């Protein structure tokens, strides 16, 4: 049986081949779900790209949580890398619920999550293609609870569909997740205790009420 792809190594190979054009770094659109997940990812990518962040997350529930995460992301970006622009997409929750209809009872990391990855990454790829970006990717793989293989497979499909290169990644590797914890503490970032959607929030609440407590944060 073949070994699974090493996406962190694939990203390193891409980065070593990048060459600025007329002194300008290539432009990358980074889909981001929150400030903590963006922290270590942004730190790594800024050495190689001119980065713009897209905050597009219609899955996040409730609206107050969505706003809090977006505000924290903007606060972090302004403090850490003032030149980085944060673009906010529509908070079209109806599109999310339509996409996951019939998958409400799926377990975490199941089919509902795959649909959610694709929904948000599709919007990022569309935006990147429409605005002349060279590359796109998402912060999602920084989480130990997210499947990098699925994320990268979707990215490759969207690259073929929209003609914008997807940066292979598994940002949790090589202490990426650990670094995100360090930066979150340094900048006093709010760290949520559920992925974002109504279904993961209700699951987290049930675990909180269980005798052994919650299983961990995203």
């Amino acid at each position: 049986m073949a070994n699974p792809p090493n996406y962190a190594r694939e990203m390193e190979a891409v980065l070593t081949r990048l060459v600025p054009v007329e002194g300008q770094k290539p432009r990358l659109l980074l889909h981001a779900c929150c400030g903590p997940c963006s922290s270590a990812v942004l730190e790594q990518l800024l050495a190689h790209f001119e980065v713009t962040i897209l905050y597009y997350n219609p899955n996040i529930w409730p609206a107050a949580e969505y706003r809090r995460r977006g505000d924290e992301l903007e606060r972090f970006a302004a403090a850490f890398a003032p030149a980085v622009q944060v673009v906010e997409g529509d908070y079209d929750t109806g599109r999310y619920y339509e996409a996951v209809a019939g998958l409400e009872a799926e377990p975490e990391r199941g089919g509902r999550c795959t649909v959610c990855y694709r929904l948000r990454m599709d919007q990022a790829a569309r935006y990147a293609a429409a605005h002349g970006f060279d590359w796109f990717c998402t912060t999602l793989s920084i989480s130990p609870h997210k499947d990098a293989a699925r994320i990268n497979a979707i990215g490759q499909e969207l690259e073929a569909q929209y003609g914008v290169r997807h940066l292979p990644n598994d940002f949790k590797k090589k202490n990426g997740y650990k670094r995100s914890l360090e930066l979150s503490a340094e900048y006093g970032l709010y760290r949520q205790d559920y992925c974002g959607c109504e279904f993961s929030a209700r699951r987290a609440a049930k675990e909180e009420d269980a005798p052994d407590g919650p299983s961990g944060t995203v």
Side-chain angles (χ1 to χ4, degrees):
M1 181 180 297
N3 292 327
N6 186 320
Y7 296 107
R9 189 175 299 160
E10 288 185 16
M11 185 177 76
E12 284 186 350
V14 169
L15 296 181
T16 59
R17 295 194 300 267
L18 285 180
V19 178
V21 177
E22 298 181 354
Q24 296 294 316
K25 297 176 183 176
R27 298 175 67 218
L28 179 141
L29 183 72
L30 175 64
H31 164 263
C33 54
C34 62
C37 287
S38 304
S39 58
V41 175
L42 192 58
E43 181 179 60
Q44 185 171 4
L45 293 180
L46 282 174
H48 306 279
F49 298 99
E50 178 187 326
V51 179
T52 296
I53 295 174
L54 174 66
Y55 182 64
Y56 176 74
N57 300 286
N59 59 305
I60 297 178
W61 177 91
E65 178 72 15
Y66 168 84
R67 186 68 272 140
R68 185 177 185 183
R69 296 189 192 193
D71 289 347
E72 281 289 89
L73 173 59
E74 291 187 359
R75 182 174 71 83
F76 171 75
F80 185 78
V84 171
Q85 180 184 10
V86 178
V87 177
E88 184 169 347
D90 294 333
Y91 184 46
D92 48 354
T93 57
R95 186 180 178 196
Y96 168 72
Y97 283 109
E98 181 180 358
V100 301
L103 301 172
E104 294 87 349
E106 282 278 303
E108 291 299 297
R109 310 188 202 185
R112 186 183 67 245
C113 293
T114 303
V115 171
C116 186
Y117 299 162
R118 182 179 294 278
L119 175 66
R120 292 182 283 169
M121 292 177 67
D122 181 87
Q123 186 68 16
R126 285 174 184 266
Y127 188 96
H131 293 83
F133 285 85
D134 304 298
W135 297 83
F136 81 99
C137 67
T138 177
T139 63
L140 291 171
S141 73
I142 193 75
S143 170
H145 301 289
K146 300 293 190 295
D147 184 347
R150 272 186 282 174
I151 290 166
N152 282 278
I154 292 168
Q156 290 165 7
E157 292 168 11
L158 294 173
E159 176 179 314
Q161 181 176 350
Y162 292 106
V164 180
R165 285 168 288 185
H166 174 257
L167 181 68
N169 64 85
D170 191 353
F171 290 116
K172 71 177 73 66
K173 299 294 187 181
K174 297 193 174 181
N175 292 319
Y177 179 65
K178 179 176 179 289
R179 181 59 179 154
S180 75
L181 297 179
E182 294 170 348
L183 286 169
S184 295
E186 180 179 346
Y187 286 85
L189 298 179
Y190 159 65
R191 292 188 61 83
Q192 58 275 7
D193 60 1
Y194 67 100
C195 179
C197 72
E198 176 181 357
F199 314 107
S200 63
R202 298 193 187 285
R203 173 178 172 269
K206 288 181 180 179
E207 291 187 350
E208 186 70 35
D209 292 337
D212 295 332
S215 59
T217 59
V218 295

